[in-house]
Amino acid sequence: MGSASSPPSRRRWSWGSALAGAATTAAATALVLCRPRDPRFELISISLSTFHFRPPAALDIGLTLTVHATNPNVVPVRYGPSTVSILYGGAHLGTARLDAGGQPATSCRLLNLPARLDGVELAHRARSIISDVARRHMELEATVEIAGEAAVLLWSRPFSVRIDSHITVDPIFLEVVEQENSSEMQLYLA
C-alpha cells in the first residue's frame, strides 16, 4: 500500500511580515543616510579692516576672515556664539568672533568673522613676523569649538564640533596659500 504524501508546506504571505521588512529596510537606509557628518570650514580670504597705531606702543589691527562653511548633514543646525583662537608660533595672537546662527541642511555659505590681533603679542613676535613678511610665508594655527543642536520638528540633538586649522598665508597680500583643516564632532544624548 502506498502512503499518501502531503503537499509541501507553503508559507503564507502576510501584511505583517511585509510591513516589518519594509520598516527594517527603511530604518537601515535612514541610519546610513542620516548619520551625522562633520561640518567643513575653509578660510577663503583675509582682509584688513582696521589699523591704528597709538604711540608709544599701542597697535590695533582688525581683520575680516571670510570662511566657507558647509553643513553636509540632512538636518539644519543651530549654533551658539564661539571664539576662534588665532595662534602664531604657539602663542595666542588674537581672536575672531563667530556669532550665533544656523545653517540649513546640506548647504554652503560664506561667513565673515571679525578678528582682532593683540598688539602687545605682535610686538613680542616682531622679529619672527618681519622674517615671515620678508619670506612672504607665515604659518598660523586656529582652533574653535562650536556648540549647537541639530533639530527636525520635535527632535533635537545637541552637538559640539572642534575645528583645528593650520594655515599658511602671504603676509604682504593677506592671501591664503595653503591650509589643512580637521574637525571632530561630539554628539550628546538629549
Side-chain angles (χ1 to χ4, degrees):
M1 307 223 143
S3 69
S5 66
S6 59
S9 70
R10 290 189 177 171
R11 290 189 172 205
R12 294 186 183 249
W13 188 85
S14 78
W15 278 103
S17 295
L19 289 175
T24 303
T25 302
T29 302
L31 184 63
V32 169
L33 293 177
C34 296
R35 76 179 189 339
R37 290 178 279 176
D38 291 353
R40 292 186 304 273
F41 296 88
E42 180 181 0
L43 181 62
I44 301 297
S45 67
I46 303 169
S47 59
L48 184 65
S49 54
T50 60
F51 184 90
H52 300 288
F53 180 68
R54 294 182 199 96
L59 183 62
D60 180 26
I61 296 178
L63 303 171
T64 300
L65 309 178
T66 301
V67 176
H68 182 256
T70 303
N71 175 12
N73 296 293
V74 296
V75 296
V77 295
R78 291 186 306 264
Y79 49 85
S82 298
T83 300
V84 180
S85 295
I86 302 168
L87 307 167
Y88 174 73
H92 187 266
L93 190 61
T95 59
R97 187 180 73 243
L98 173 64
D99 293 329
Q103 187 154 342
T106 60
S107 67
C108 301
R109 64 191 287 197
L110 292 178
L111 304 172
N112 291 310
L113 310 181
R116 286 265 172 248
L117 299 183
D118 181 347
V120 173
E121 194 58 45
L122 285 168
H124 284 115
R125 304 265 175 220
R127 182 171 288 153
S128 296
I129 291 172
I130 291 169
S131 172
D132 286 351
V133 168
R135 294 182 310 128
R136 294 185 59 188
H137 181 97
M138 178 180 276
E139 294 187 15
L140 302 169
E141 304 288 330
T143 62
V144 64
E145 187 153 336
I146 302 169
E149 67 180 8
V152 176
L153 300 175
L154 300 175
W155 177 80
S156 175
R157 186 80 182 253
F159 70 88
S160 75
V161 62
R162 178 181 172 86
I163 301 150
D164 295 302
S165 300
H166 178 84
I167 304 158
T168 303
V169 299
D170 176 339
I172 294 176
F173 294 108
L174 296 178
E175 291 178 348
V176 178
V177 176
E178 184 179 352
Q179 67 183 296
E180 184 177 316
N181 303 306
S182 64
S183 61
E184 183 178 336
M185 186 181 309
Q186 180 88 31
L187 294 173
Y188 303 104
L189 297 176

